[in-house]
Amino acid sequence: MGVSIRDAAQITPSQRQLSWQELEFYGFIHFTVNTFTDREWGLGDESPSLFHPSELSASQWVEACRSAGMKGLILTCKHHDGFCLWPSAYTEHSVKNSPWNSGEGDLVREVADACREAGLKFGIYLSPWDRHESSYGNSPEYNTFFVNQLRELLSGYGELFCVWFDGACGEGTNGKRQVYDWDAYYGIIRELQPNAVISVCGPDVRWCGNEAGHTRTSEWSVVPASMQDNEKIQGNSQQADDGEFAKRVSSEEEDLGSRTVLAEAEEVVWYPSEVNTSIRPGWFYHAAEDDLVKSLDELMDLYERTVGGNATFLLNLPPDKRGLIHENDARRLKELGQRIQEVYRINLAKDAVVQASSEKGSDNAAQRITDGSSSTYWSAIEGVEQVELNIDLGSEQAFDRIVLAEYIREGQRIERFSVEWQDGEAWQPLYEGTIVGYKHICRFNEVKARRLRLLIAESRWCPTLSRFEVYNSANDQ
Ligand code: FUL
């Protein structure tokens, strides 16, 4: 029992996990018959004739995502009500029986094409729980049906970056119990879309555990393999359509990867976190929520805590009955994109001179952390777990953000660090942090300084860093 620090330090991401992590921020679209019935969970008996968006424009959705700085989009191809946004050959419960485009429409195709045209990655959400399909609960029959639907989506719409399996199910004790054949689902995904990550009820991307935008101070990507247990993920997911779940934050499991956790673990895996939340209270559009779009400050804070907290940010945008992202949401997304760009535009450490108390060799010299490339990196000598890095910005600068990035191809190592600034002869504390991982955004009150030092107080085997950047958020003015 117990995983050694050195072993934990050697756990690295797969190529598909790395590519996914680099997307950082991407959109979620919840759209189905619920949009027209004003519900969050459809019952499965809705008539396909309800689905009649009057002005649907997938390129407007994609443009809204792009304006926010998102690099991908995941579409609810089928939510719990079972209605399919593509003309599946395996059910009548789909767009082929809707007035939209006279039953000739294929929304999955429209969104996939719009994404490709705009340079966004495309991913699919397919709810395992299906309240319409009569075979649901008759396990082998439904599993065949589900694999057939997966095959349609995996083979008909070009490259996918993600297949998102929701853990939610509201069948309750007297409902139908379906035993999902996860191995069969994963098998066909790996076969037909080897580059796609399988998220939530899947081995590649971990659900952060809440839908309210709560983030952990120390979000480890290396966690016990037992976290990949789908039964447990489903148990923690939404069980009832009571409008409460999306607001709930459970902080029971704050620590998923510290040394205390490693000491008890049998095996650890690279299983990084994704934070999913909605721009409005609901996942689907409700006119009553038009004035409840999250504020720019809230969204910016979420962005900095998720992407800047070693997670990715999956932000949901619900198109309205017209089939458009409402003006209020579209405006907010554009504002967010501008704010992100402005805050992170001028890196004040671009020409900084860096020295480290330990350096593995010239390929991994300390200076690598400011060369603007995320494929070069500094590393301490193996076995050196505490390091001091001195950063000289060349002249005094005013700033309130520092961005750190580990070279995660080599694993996640840093456990505790602090940053100080030089004030005359003295060093003043500026920031204390725990993990870094893919990206850590340090936020603090503005300070004016020329010299900084980063003290890595605890790490696993030897720390690495690929980026050290300095910004001033006042630059957005
Ligand atoms: C939940 C679902 O029940 C919601 O409707 C939504 O799809 C969200 C992303 O996951 O658990």
Side-chain angles (χ1 to χ4, degrees):
M1 196 72 159
V3 172
S4 77
I5 299 305
R6 193 168 167 180
D7 285 349
Q10 316 300 325
I11 305 291
T12 54
S14 63
Q15 185 52 49
R16 63 172 81 87
Q17 287 172 317
L18 268 174
S19 308
W20 157 85
Q21 186 102 48
E22 284 166 4
L23 295 180
E24 299 190 349
F25 179 29
Y26 40 95
F28 215 172
I29 294 275
H30 273 66
F31 193 54
T32 181
V33 286
N34 295 348
T35 312
F36 302 89
T37 56
D38 214 12
R39 277 179 175 274
E40 277 292 304
W41 277 8
L43 301 174
D45 61 0
E46 293 83 5
S47 163
S49 66
L50 288 167
F51 188 81
H52 58 93
S54 50
E55 297 170 49
L56 191 141
S57 165
S59 50
Q60 190 254 1
W61 305 356
V62 167
E63 191 38 48
C65 291
R66 243 165 51 106
S67 76
M70 294 175 174
K71 299 198 192 114
L73 177 58
I74 300 174
L75 173 69
T76 54
C77 301
K78 174 182 90 166
H79 201 249
H80 311 326
D81 52 79
F83 181 75
C84 298
L85 299 184
W86 80 104
S88 172
Y90 300 96
T91 178
E92 289 304 303
H93 200 52
S94 85
V95 284
K96 71 184 171 199
N97 289 313
S98 296
W100 176 64
N101 278 356
S102 315
E104 299 292 313
D106 182 344
L107 192 47
V108 179
R109 166 117 24 249
E110 288 198 16
V111 179
D113 288 352
C115 282
R116 237 171 305 280
E117 218 162 279
L120 255 65
K121 302 277 180 201
F122 177 61
I124 59 165
Y125 165 113
L126 190 68
S127 170
W129 183 35
D130 187 326
R131 299 177 107 172
H132 177 83
E133 172 54 31
S134 58
S135 66
Y136 187 88
N138 178 349
S139 296
E141 201 188 326
Y142 180 76
N143 284 327
T144 304
F145 168 83
F146 194 76
V147 168
N148 283 335
Q149 289 203 322
L150 265 176
R151 188 180 303 104
E152 290 182 320
L153 293 170
L154 298 169
S155 56
Y157 300 92
E159 174 151 271
L160 305 177
F161 82 92
C162 168
V163 178
W164 212 95
F165 287 143
D166 202 327
C169 181
E171 283 297 337
T173 39
N174 298 321
K176 296 176 181 172
R177 180 156 158 72
Q178 168 71 31
V179 181
Y180 299 120
D181 188 352
W182 297 110
D183 288 345
Y185 309 166
Y186 300 165
I188 191 162
I189 297 169
R190 294 294 195 233
E191 182 195 324
L192 298 174
Q193 294 282 348
N195 300 326
V197 287
I198 311 174
S199 305
V200 186
C201 284
D204 301 318
V205 173
R206 172 168 52 86
W207 177 44
C208 66
N210 72 89
E211 297 179 349
H214 172 72
T215 49
R216 294 184 178 84
T217 313
S218 308
E219 187 62 273
W220 282 96
S221 293
V222 178
V223 296
S226 56
M227 299 235 36
Q228 290 170 324
D229 177 348
N230 285 346
E231 298 274 327
K232 219 161 111 190
I233 297 164
Q234 290 170 76
N236 289 334
S237 299
Q238 188 170 358
Q239 319 273 337
D241 185 12
D242 58 5
E244 285 304 305
F245 190 80
K247 296 182 217 151
R248 202 175 308 151
V249 169
S250 148
S251 49
E252 284 158 46
E253 290 189 341
E254 273 300 301
D255 177 13
L256 304 180
S258 72
R259 289 187 183 217
T260 318
V261 172
L262 295 184
E264 300 286 317
E266 276 176 36
E267 190 196 345
V268 286
V269 287
W270 191 272
Y271 196 31
S273 170
E274 175 186 79
V275 175
N276 66 314
T277 192
S278 186
I279 195 165
R280 291 164 172 238
W283 293 98
F284 287 92
Y285 178 80
H286 309 287
E289 295 180 352
D290 280 351
D291 295 322
L292 298 176
V293 176
K294 285 190 169 65
S295 70
L296 177 57
D297 283 347
E298 263 178 287
L299 289 171
M300 187 65 184
D301 176 56
L302 263 165
Y303 171 84
E304 291 184 311
R305 283 190 290 110
T306 54
V307 175
N310 193 37
T312 59
F313 185 18
L314 172 55
L315 178 64
N316 181 63
L317 320 167
D320 60 18
K321 291 185 188 191
R322 294 171 300 172
L324 297 174
I325 309 267
H326 189 272
E327 289 74 2
N328 293 356
D329 310 54
R331 194 178 325 114
R332 193 52 44 77
L333 290 164
K334 196 168 171 192
E335 290 166 358
L336 176 63
Q338 281 169 349
R339 178 103 155 237
I340 296 171
Q341 268 224 330
E342 282 160 6
V343 172
Y344 295 101
R345 194 181 38 182
I346 304 171
N347 173 13
L348 302 167
K350 198 165 57 68
D351 301 313
V353 176
V354 190
Q355 285 176 330
S357 60
S358 172
E359 198 169 83
K360 205 170 162 187
S362 57
D363 276 358
N364 299 114
Q367 199 59 49
R368 300 280 181 207
I369 66 176
T370 57
D371 68 6
S373 160
S374 43
S375 48
T376 62
Y377 65 105
W378 158 79
S379 171
I381 292 167
E382 299 204 18
V384 175
E385 298 188 349
Q386 296 177 333
V387 186
E388 176 178 329
L389 289 113
N390 282 272
I391 298 108
D392 179 354
L393 300 177
S395 58
E396 191 176 80
Q397 303 286 349
F399 53 91
D400 61 3
R401 298 279 188 283
I402 292 177
V403 178
L404 302 174
E406 277 181 76
Y407 185 70
I408 59 167
R409 278 175 197 273
E410 295 263 307
Q412 188 181 358
R413 312 282 178 79
I414 297 172
E415 295 175 303
R416 193 160 64 83
F417 69 93
S418 59
V419 185
E420 297 176 347
W421 62 283
Q422 198 175 24
D423 177 15
E425 289 302 299
W427 286 96
Q428 305 288 356
L430 183 59
Y431 186 85
E432 289 194 9
T434 56
I435 60 100
V436 174
Y438 171 76
K439 194 185 263 193
H440 184 117
I441 300 181
C442 312
R443 300 184 290 182
F444 41 83
N445 291 332
E446 187 185 283
V447 68
K448 283 197 181 72
R450 169 175 171 174
R451 292 194 171 82
L452 292 166
R453 66 181 184 191
L454 171 67
L455 304 163
I456 300 177
E458 278 174 44
S459 66
R460 298 178 177 178
W461 190 231
C462 61
T464 73
L465 277 183
S466 71
R467 288 160 69 183
F468 181 98
E469 296 165 359
V470 173
Y471 297 96
N472 192 337
S473 69
N475 282 340
D476 74 332
Q477 259 126 55

